[in-house]
RNA sequence: GCCCGGGUAGCUCAGUCGGUAGAGCAGCUCACUCGUAAUGAGCAGGUCAGGGGUUCGAAUCCCCUCUCGGGCUCCA
């Protein structure tokens, strides 16, 4: 037998037997075993030629087991406190677990129930109840769960797949049993650290037409220390929340008078947008894109042609009726407009690739419950591009596009990317050859890029494969940013053509591409990544000059005009209130540079420099030296080659 | 859309048993003129989200609507 890669000579009959023979050090926090590549309970029987790996609670597999066992204990606790409760499913999540219930008399969990349930869970953990596995027939299982309709529905699904199979159940003491594939921790005392977080509704099997269950979410880790670290992370996330920072920094808000999901940008926030957009426009022009503009409304016939009314109607704002009954829809996407621009004249292969670019504001009827700050809105501005190219050009164009996207994102100081290639889903349109061709082009483009990628089988749009770019932010959260989709369907719907060198009419490929995704969303992600301290080149106020007292006011004005002459954006404060208060205000406003000038500086032509994020200020810096530093640090980034 | 929890001054929030609205910050005025994260005093600021109901009396209890947050769901 091999244990953790080492030959083990002893003769043991089961995992538990094996652990009994190993040192305390080695078996500490072993929650399950990996036997010949399969995770099993510690009690599992062992053969002499098995290869065994001890799985500890703090490993990825071990943590998953801990969380899953926590879910069982949650269900057990709920059943103790709410007799007659029905329990449905209880899987693990990224940071913990949940379990879905239906309580008697349609009773709902309230926030205050959570602490009672959590206390009951701790009692069960203290009782050190073993998780005991039992394998039974489907008939016996039906009998066992006779009063648990959700369990019986799962059993019915299993029976459909294979009527002769046996299923495993796990018992904790005599009072609780759950249908479960396992494995589990040996006993409840292995559940060292968990917290119940929230309660919400969730449809049975995610189906809106099925009953809505009560879901309790919890987090769980191998140690209390890890849980506390995670809670600290949650606090940090809260501090970075763009909705909170947007309020504090006076960037934007959502007036109820306008409607949910529709933001207004205040002057400071709008300035940031302006810089983002201008930078983007300039770089697109340099990269061979052409700017276009399309209106916010279009007749229903356009969206019939594009297929949006067929496929996406639920996501569209309702139409307004004009004139002789024409229906005008607010645009949910920019592509149909761009199609018409392509089609406005006969296209030659010499015109391709044709890269159209627009900051296009679109309106989408997102369901009210899904709205979330600037990340999920009903009115958004996409930095949208549609690239039309010949089949021959597709691979190179994708590669070039990918490099351009990454170069732009890097210019915003973002570093940590990965890509995902989503392939053909089960329900899709188009023929095999097209899919194969497009997917292969995407794969080759990714191979030549310098970012890592994974394949998401069957996750593509129904009309095309796509590449999504993800960012991992400053505190490790993953955000989806750009998306690239290869589309042959829409060009076909609009009858797009180009004439090739041998005078044939061919259909162009089209690449849909949003780089920021939407300006609003990108704004939010940048805010969270930088915790509100955005790169200085985006800000309207880059430098705030504070005269210590009235006597330094003239010098402050002089410093300001020298800065302005060098293209820096400056605000001069007046010496109204105590310096400490004015400094604090500037810090709270997250101004990149605070310059304090007093009598000592007037004669020496110096400034005191307080840099954002620096531990301590620096005094007596020659003005020229500061201007050189600030000009460099606040300069608009240049793009790396792509 | 559905479930749970909220909505009180510009912001953050308190408001007991149903007895008629409060703080800090911000704003304004005055004084202070200051060397690196909150100077002091005063003033002003409210349809307690909106509507309906119960009650002698409602921020408080009930119903409806709007809206925000957390989830579910959806995402061409």
């Amino acid at each position: 037998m091999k244990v953790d890669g080492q030959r083990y000579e002893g003769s043991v009959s089961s995992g538990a037997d094996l652990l009994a023979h190993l040192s305390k050090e080695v078996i500490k926090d072993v929650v399950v075993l990996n036997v010949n590549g399969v995770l099993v309970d510690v009690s599992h029987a062992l053969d002499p030629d098995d290869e065994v790996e001890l799985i500890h609670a703090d490993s990825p597999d071990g943590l998953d087991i801990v969380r899953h066992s926590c879910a069982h204990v949650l269900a057990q606790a709920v059943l103790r406190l709410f007799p007659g409760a029905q329990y449905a499913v209880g899987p693990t999540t990224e940071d913990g677990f949940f379990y879905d219930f239906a309580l008697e008399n349609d009773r709902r969990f309230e926030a205050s129930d959570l602490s009672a349930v959590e206390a009951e869970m701790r009692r069960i953990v203290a009782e050190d109840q073993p998780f005991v596995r039992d394998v039974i027939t489907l008939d016996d299982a039906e009998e066992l769960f006779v009063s648990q309709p959700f369990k019986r529905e799962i059993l019915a699904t299993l029976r459909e797949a294979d009527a002769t199979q046996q299923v495993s159940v796990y018992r904790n003491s005599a009072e609780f049993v759950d249908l479960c594939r396992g494995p589990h921790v040996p006993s409840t005392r292995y559940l060292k650290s968990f917290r119940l977080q929230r309660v919400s509704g969730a449809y049975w099997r995610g189906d809106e037409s099925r009953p809505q269950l009560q879901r309790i979410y919890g987090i769980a880790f191998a140690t209390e220390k890890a849980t506390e670290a995670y809670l600290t992370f949650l606090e940090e996330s809260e501090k970075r929340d763009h909705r909170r920072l947007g309020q504090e920094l006076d960037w934007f808000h959502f007036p109820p008078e306008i409607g949910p999901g529709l933001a207004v940008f205040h002057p400071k926030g709008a300035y940031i947008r302006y810089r983002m957009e201008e930078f983007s426009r300039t770089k697109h022009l340099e990269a061979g894109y052409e700017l276009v503009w399309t209106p916010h409304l279009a007749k229903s016939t356009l969206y019939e042609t594009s297929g949006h009314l067929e496929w996406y109607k639920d996501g569209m704002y309702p139409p307004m009726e004009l004139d002789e009954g024409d229906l005008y829809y607010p645009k949910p996407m920019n592509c149909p407009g761009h199609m018409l621009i392509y089609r406005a004249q006969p296209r030659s292969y010499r015109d391709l690739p044709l890269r159209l670019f627009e900051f296009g504001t679109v309106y989408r009827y997102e369901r009210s419950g899904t709205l979330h700050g600037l990340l999920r809105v009903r009115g958004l501005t996409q930095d949208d591009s549609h690239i039309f190219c010949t089949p021959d050009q597709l691979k190179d164009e994708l590669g070039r596009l990918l490099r351009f996207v990454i170069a732009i994102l890097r210019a915003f100081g973002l570093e940590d990317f990965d890509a995902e290639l989503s392939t053909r889903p089960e329900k899709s349109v188009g023929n095999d050859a097209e899919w194969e061709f497009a997917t292969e082009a995407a794969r080759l483009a990714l191979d030549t890029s310098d970012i890592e990628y994974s394949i998401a089988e069957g996750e593509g749009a129904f009309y095309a494969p796509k590449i999504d770019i993800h960012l991992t932010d400053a505190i490790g959260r993953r955000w989806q940013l750009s998306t690239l989709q290869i589309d042959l369907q829409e060009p076909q719907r609009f009858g797009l053509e180009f004439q090739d060198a041998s005078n044939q009419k061919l259909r162009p490929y089209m690449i849909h591409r949003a780089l920021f995704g939407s300006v609003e969303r990108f704004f939010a992600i940048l805010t969270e990544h930088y915790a509100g301290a955005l790169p200085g080149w985006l800000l309207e106020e880059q430098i705030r000059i504070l005269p210590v007292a009235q006597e330094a006011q003239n010098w402050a004005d002089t410093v300001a005009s020298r800065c302005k002459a060098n293209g820096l954006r400056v605000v001069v404060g007046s010496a109204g209130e105590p310096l400490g208060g004015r400094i604090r205000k500037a810090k709270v406003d997250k101004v990149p540079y605070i310059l304090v000038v007093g009598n000592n500086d007037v004669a020496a032509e110096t400034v005191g420099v307080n840099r954002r994020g620096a531990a301590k200020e620096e005094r007596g810096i020659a003005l020229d030296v500061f201007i050189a530093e600030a000009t460099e640090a606040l300069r608009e980034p240049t793009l790396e080659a792509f």
Side-chain angles (χ1 to χ4, degrees):
Chain A
M1 185 179 299
K2 269 191 173 174
V3 175
D4 282 352
Q6 306 282 328
R7 180 144 292 284
Y8 179 76
E9 299 297 349
S11 149
V12 293
S13 61
S14 73
D17 194 10
L18 170 68
L19 294 192
H21 284 80
L22 298 176
S23 78
K24 247 190 158 160
E25 285 288 284
V26 173
I27 66 163
K28 190 172 182 293
D29 287 333
V30 170
V31 287
V32 289
L33 304 178
N34 181 330
V35 176
N36 307 324
V38 181
L39 294 180
V40 297
D41 292 317
V42 163
S43 59
H44 194 264
L46 294 179
D47 283 335
D49 49 357
D50 281 341
E51 291 196 12
V52 180
E53 193 191 334
L54 309 180
I55 303 295
H56 298 263
D58 59 356
S59 67
D61 279 342
L63 206 46
D64 199 58
I65 299 301
V66 164
R67 287 166 178 167
H68 190 189
S69 297
C70 275
H72 276 232
V73 172
L74 166 58
Q76 185 175 356
V78 166
L79 261 66
R80 274 188 181 180
L81 297 176
F82 301 88
Q86 296 169 351
Y87 50 125
V89 289
T92 60
T93 63
E94 239 169 77
D95 52 13
F97 58 93
F98 65 78
Y99 216 112
D100 288 349
F101 303 94
L103 301 183
E104 264 190 332
N105 304 321
D106 238 9
R107 162 96 153 80
R108 309 290 176 193
F109 288 122
E110 287 158 29
S112 57
D113 292 327
L114 286 187
S115 47
V117 174
E118 191 176 306
E120 198 59 44
M121 288 175 71
R122 296 199 189 288
R123 230 161 274 144
I124 292 164
V125 168
E127 286 166 18
D128 193 12
Q129 299 185 8
F131 279 81
V132 180
R133 181 187 176 90
D134 200 2
V135 176
I136 59 177
T137 65
L138 284 171
D139 287 340
D140 288 346
E142 300 257 352
E143 179 66 31
L144 188 59
F145 294 108
V146 67
S147 56
Q148 291 295 334
F150 300 109
K151 296 296 173 194
R152 293 183 56 196
E153 189 171 326
I154 297 168
L155 288 169
T157 312
L158 292 173
R159 189 184 284 279
E160 237 172 77
D162 174 7
T164 64
Q165 68 177 310
Q166 296 207 308
V167 296
S168 56
V169 297
Y170 279 79
R171 295 174 198 281
N172 304 110
S173 74
E175 70 179 56
F176 181 74
V177 60
D178 199 356
L179 176 67
C180 183
R181 193 176 295 151
H184 278 283
V185 299
S187 103
T188 55
R189 81 180 152 84
Y190 283 76
L191 308 177
K192 297 260 167 62
S193 187
F194 55 84
R195 303 272 197 288
L196 296 186
Q197 292 289 87
R198 58 180 63 93
V199 50
S200 77
Y203 297 100
W204 170 232
R205 297 195 156 175
D207 182 344
E208 251 177 287
S209 66
R210 309 296 305 271
Q212 186 164 41
L213 305 175
Q214 299 282 299
R215 175 171 296 179
I216 294 181
Y217 281 91
I219 59 172
F221 290 88
T223 62
E224 187 59 18
K225 208 176 151 196
T227 299
E228 272 160 21
Y230 187 75
L231 291 172
T232 307
F233 163 79
L234 290 182
E235 272 170 37
E236 180 62 28
S237 297
E238 220 166 287
K239 275 188 216 149
R240 288 167 178 261
D241 191 314
H242 72 280
R243 293 165 301 184
R244 175 200 176 110
L245 289 165
Q247 169 78 256
E248 284 172 9
L249 297 169
D250 193 19
W251 284 348
F252 61 86
H253 85 288
F254 291 87
E257 292 84 347
I258 293 182
L262 298 166
V264 294
F265 280 74
H266 303 187
K268 287 176 195 166
Y271 190 90
I272 295 164
R273 273 186 78 131
Y274 156 69
R275 283 286 160 191
M276 285 167 53
E277 291 175 8
E278 273 314 289
F279 178 75
S280 168
R281 269 198 196 95
T282 307
K283 298 308 168 194
H284 274 84
L285 286 171
E286 288 169 11
Y289 287 75
E290 296 174 75
L291 300 184
V292 295
W293 187 90
T294 62
H296 291 199
L297 298 173
K299 284 196 281 197
S300 54
T301 45
L302 178 67
Y303 299 115
E304 279 159 22
T305 303
S306 70
H308 286 97
L309 276 176
E310 188 181 343
W311 296 103
Y312 193 64
K313 188 158 195 238
D314 289 348
M316 292 168 66
Y317 268 74
M320 44 200 119
E321 187 175 343
L322 295 183
D323 304 331
E324 315 274 294
D326 283 341
L327 296 179
Y328 282 78
Y329 282 91
K331 70 172 165 180
M333 294 188 195
N334 299 301
C335 39
H338 293 189
M339 298 285 143
L340 298 180
I341 293 169
Y342 181 97
R343 211 172 59 178
Q345 52 187 273
R347 300 290 178 177
S348 149
Y349 70 98
R350 297 174 200 273
D351 298 333
L352 304 184
L354 179 70
R355 309 184 186 99
L356 304 182
F357 177 65
E358 170 178 17
F359 276 103
T361 301
V362 298
Y363 293 91
R364 297 177 177 182
Y365 181 71
E366 299 283 358
R367 301 216 282 177
S368 62
T370 66
L371 300 173
H372 182 91
L374 290 176
L375 290 168
R376 195 72 184 256
V377 289
R378 284 186 175 161
L380 57 139
T381 304
Q382 290 185 304
D383 59 333
D384 208 358
S385 170
H386 293 92
I387 300 171
F388 302 87
C389 65
T390 70
D392 291 347
Q393 292 168 334
L394 183 63
K395 176 176 75 74
D396 286 347
E397 194 56 28
L398 276 171
R400 179 190 148 90
L401 173 53
L402 209 49
R403 291 190 296 276
F404 179 65
V405 167
I406 296 296
I408 293 273
L409 295 177
R410 285 193 177 135
F412 283 87
L414 308 176
E415 308 273 336
D416 192 355
F417 303 107
D418 66 275
E420 196 169 76
L421 171 59
S422 297
T423 60
R424 186 173 193 175
E426 268 182 42
K427 278 179 69 179
S428 60
V429 297
N431 65 48
D432 293 350
E434 284 164 21
W435 273 93
E436 176 72 13
F437 181 79
T439 308
E440 206 41 40
R443 194 191 312 270
L444 284 168
L446 282 164
D447 284 337
T448 60
S449 79
D450 64 347
I451 62 170
E452 308 244 317
Y453 72 96
S454 56
I455 309 272
E457 290 294 346
E459 293 295 310
F462 74 84
Y463 57 91
K466 61 175 180 177
I467 298 173
D468 292 322
I469 310 287
H470 299 266
L471 165 76
T472 302
D473 78 2
I475 59 169
R477 298 171 300 176
R478 223 157 150 261
W479 306 86
Q480 190 190 312
L481 289 172
S482 321
T483 170
L484 286 62
Q485 303 184 352
I486 304 147
D487 190 352
L488 200 55
Q489 299 306 316
E490 204 167 352
Q492 187 174 332
R493 298 188 76 109
F494 280 88
L496 303 191
E497 303 180 319
F498 67 93
Q499 203 151 345
D500 77 356
S502 57
N503 213 17
Q504 278 189 73
K505 300 221 168 179
L506 296 177
R507 179 134 297 144
Y509 268 92
M510 180 178 79
I511 307 168
H512 301 255
R513 183 235 65 179
L515 199 164
F516 293 153
S518 80
V519 177
E520 290 79 6
R521 185 179 157 79
F522 192 68
F523 189 110
I525 293 171
L526 276 186
T527 302
E528 302 229 356
H529 174 70
Y530 285 109
L534 294 187
W537 65 274
L538 292 166
L539 302 176
E540 180 170 30
E541 180 181 5
Q542 300 174 314
I543 300 168
R544 188 175 301 177
I545 304 177
L546 302 176
V548 173
Q550 205 75 60
E551 306 102 81
Q553 190 76 49
N554 283 341
W555 174 234
D557 290 337
T558 306
V559 171
S561 43
R562 294 270 298 279
C563 287
K564 281 181 193 162
N566 284 277
L568 300 170
R569 299 190 286 273
V570 196
V571 171
V572 186
S574 58
E577 50 186 310
L579 183 63
R582 286 180 286 148
I583 300 244
R584 177 170 188 281
K585 216 166 279 171
K587 288 280 185 190
V588 168
D589 289 343
K590 301 187 194 294
V591 181
Y593 289 100
I594 304 166
L595 298 187
V596 174
V597 295
N599 273 335
N600 300 342
D601 295 300
V602 175
E605 305 216 329
T606 56
V607 292
V609 181
N610 193 326
R611 300 174 183 86
R612 186 176 63 184
K616 205 175 170 350
E617 78 283 0
E618 218 180 314
R619 299 190 195 178
I621 307 277
L623 179 56
D624 289 341
V625 172
F626 168 73
I627 287 177
E629 173 191 332
T631 310
E632 180 60 31
L634 298 170
R635 197 202 315 272
E636 188 174 272
T638 46
L639 226 51
E640 63 187 56
F642 59 89

